[in-house]
Amino acid sequence: MAVTTTLTWNEERSLQKLLGNVSLRLLYKSSVHGNNIQNMNNKCIGQGPTITMIYLPEYTFGIFILGHYPEMGKNFKEPNNSFFFSFQKNETMKMTTAFLNSTLEITSEDLRFDFAKFQSLYISPRSEKICIPEFLEEELGLTSDLSCRYSECEVFRVEGIKDDAGYISRITEATQHRNSLLEDLRDYKPYADLVSEIRILLLGPVGSGKSSFFNSVKSIFQGRLTRQAIVGSDITSITEQYRIYSIKYGIDGESLPFKLCDSMGLGEKEGVGLCVDDIPHILKGCMPDRYQFSPHKPITPKHPAFITSPSLKDGIHCVAYVFDINSMDSLSFAMRAKLIQVQKEVLNHGVAQVALLTKVKNSNEVLENNFSKMSKSMISQSQIIIASELLGVPISKIFVVENYASEREMDPVKDILILSALKQMLRAADDFLEDLPLE
Amino acid sequence: MAVTTCLTWMQEKVLQNYFGEKQFSLLYKASVHGFSSKGLLERCSNQGPTITVIYAGDYIVGVYAQNNDKEEYVFITLFVFQETEISECKIGPFQLPMVFQDNFEFYVNLERKRMYISPETKEKLGLSGYISFQECEVFRCEDLLDKRRMEGVIELKEKLLSAIRTYKPYGDLVHQTRILLLGPIGAGKSSFLNSVKSIFRGHVTNQALVGSYTCGTSDKYRTYFINDGKNADTLPFILCDSLGLSETEEGLCMGDIPYILKGHIADRYKFDCTKPITPGHDNYIGSPLLKDRIHCVAFVFDANSVEHLSKEMVSKIKRIQRELIKCGVVHVVLLTHVDTLDMIMKGDLMDIYSCLPVKLKLEAVHRELGFPPSNIFVVRNYTSEWELEPVMDVLILSALRHMLWAADDFLEDLPFEETDRCVW
């Protein structure tokens, strides 16, 4: 007699995705192992992080517990990291979540979660009942029906969890924070409406991830992986044209109030990669979209598409130097010399400057738990310090991201890194606009 | 302490495949739950079929029990697993608790970390003496492709079919997306085409000729419209098949590729390996519209041979890539024959990108040919089957949907003046 879960495959996959690509392993099933606390406890203690699923007529209710199941009679005195979620049994299969601190106790009759303000959640296996406090029902959007009788109770071990105290709040808050950033960027307006949109120029060596960054930004706003800027891993620059990319909010949404400008990669040698003399023309806004770069000579005013009288909105408002974070320790003298030349041009134009370090390996460790700034361990890394010194950019203007190049699914933490970088670039551009002399 | 198995991915996979495409759920681990039969039986009884894995130096002794209701007498399979070799014999019948108490044929003494096997059984398994062990784990064995998962796969297939049927190209710039299949001879381009057609028809079909002749069987340019079997409507994409690539002068002429991409070549043009089409040819389209152009290219490679392409072939592929970039055409990669990779079974297709051999293969393709891993998709084409398999369909339809999205990216990126032609 096989023991299988009542959870549907779609529900299982939703949970796996929410929890960060974990595996669920069924440990206890009430209809097989008996509706009593003793059998439940026997099968579940000492198994690491668990999810307890309660199957009710209108929805499925779940409780994730990061620590071990407590033994009967003992309880967690300290607030336990746990969160609560539900799946609606309808077409949309909507999932709602709530992250709460609670203490957990198992008595001879009940599994009990105690919250602040003397509120409790009870699961009583013998009577097959669950009692969910009113505030939690409201938070999860459940129909009010105190002491519901459930048809099944299952407990799963969750494999693949990082043993990290901040892990639970991070995964539940990440999606919320990501969505908040999306809205901020959609609603952003340039300083004093001096221009209708901000132009951000991506400059950096071949293969540093400039075009991938644009693809990643677009993917986040589209909700699926996109490939508009073609990327590869040739030793010469894949990007040979100047591109001014506009991005829409959603598939049929309006254009966002910023454009990402992609250029040919910087080469170490003269005559390879972006011509440094092209940079002033780009910064002023004289370079037309799709201009075919030549490594040997810059654009001239005689070019048929040259923009002879660019307005403020045609120009670049922020320059982002893009580097592979793993290359910072071994940047060649030739590239450093090239950067000095480039930066000289940028400084001459007074444009805002930031640095974007790509290909970070551990997205989860870049930001503090509340996502408000880079973590101390990240700031102290040699790559950040080198970037700051070499590029003349303060650490607060250095952003670390992991572009979407290997992944097949969107990840809210990666999204947060990318969107936060973008938000800070727009702020830097605002500073530039504010600092312009009155004309 | 984390409750995770000591088995490597490969060891777990060998065992799972050996016992019939299973999935394992760890229920008991001695070093966490205590080296006691009580601790084991509390967690593992009444859990359906189980497998007990005992780590003894450089080999594993295992017990497979089809039923582990405490009251039942059952025959068990005792096996020894070393490197990738498994030897086994059946013993019993026992009640489950007997395996962890003294009996005359086989038992495991958890408290002392030793096990006893009778001389006859030991001889069959090639073992000797008392055996001490370091760890014991017990797993529930579940069918990888059980009814629940199959229902989920079928549901996913229906969603994908619906998404593709109702798909509209970006901005309605064209009515149908054109996808060009390019790849070495024998990679599976025509098989992929047949597989897509089969899925929408509802049973396996073989319109595009498939063979393994060295010169390739597709010597004509073909543009295949796919009919939706249920409604006899035409689907919003066209798959274009061309002559295969070859290291030598046979195969697709490099000079033909820009003409294909820009839409100058008409259906059924017979390729000449030695020279490209010319404007004077009957099948040459002088003023192609956007709808005649290629909107997405899919490179098709056999997953087994993609790492062994010759230098000439790799060089040719990179030249083509540069041509695609010049024309702005977005491209993806299809790896076929994924089921023939080491250890891959049908049930693995459900979560194929999590399988270690597939991950290694994608990394290899990225390293050798430069394609980003997120642009590489694996499929299993229909070659010998007569009926459809939902797990195969999901892989094919997912890849197809990504191609349509890639084509949208191409259309979105077109200069405005190149879209005007559609207004006529």
Side-chain angles (χ1 to χ4, degrees), chain B residues 146-212:
Chain B
D146 61 8
K147 180 167 174 266
R148 179 181 75 99
R149 288 199 184 85
M150 276 309 298
E151 283 171 359
V153 171
I154 289 166
E155 186 181 334
L156 179 55
K157 172 186 170 177
E158 290 303 318
K159 281 182 184 173
L160 286 164
L161 280 173
S162 175
I164 291 170
R165 284 183 179 122
T166 58
Y167 164 81
K168 284 179 193 289
Y170 175 84
D172 282 322
L173 293 178
V174 293
H175 295 303
Q176 288 174 301
T177 295
R178 283 196 177 220
I179 299 165
L180 174 66
L181 305 177
L182 281 181
I185 293 165
K189 298 191 302 304
S190 299
S191 285
F192 178 75
L193 210 156
N194 280 333
S195 297
V196 172
K197 187 175 280 279
S198 299
I199 292 168
F200 284 97
R201 178 163 295 183
H203 65 86
V204 178
T205 181
N206 293 284
Q207 180 178 353
L209 295 176
V210 178
S212 56

Side-chain angles (χ1 to χ4, degrees), chain A residues 1 7 10 12 26-27 33 43 45-47 157 218 224 227-228 233-234 243 290 405 407-408, chain B residues 24 26-27 33 42-43 46-48 140 148 152 155 322 370 374-377 405 409 412-413:
Chain A
M1 167 264 313
L7 204 59
N10 281 331
E12 183 179 352
L26 184 62
L27 301 170
H33 300 126
K43 292 202 159 28
I45 57 173
Q47 296 281 15
R157 181 176 62 254
K218 182 180 172 182
R224 62 144 175 111
R227 313 168 169 82
Q228 182 172 343
S233 64
D234 241 354
R243 293 307 313 272
R290 297 176 202 267
E407 297 72 29
R408 328 195 66 88
Chain B
F24 291 165
L26 183 60
L27 299 170
H33 300 127
E42 277 178 349
R43 288 175 177 78
N46 294 312
Q47 293 280 19
R140 179 194 309 107
R148 179 181 75 99
E155 186 181 334
R322 294 220 70 95
S374 58
N375 283 0
I376 304 172
F377 305 98
W405 282 342
D409 291 328
E412 186 174 356
D413 202 47

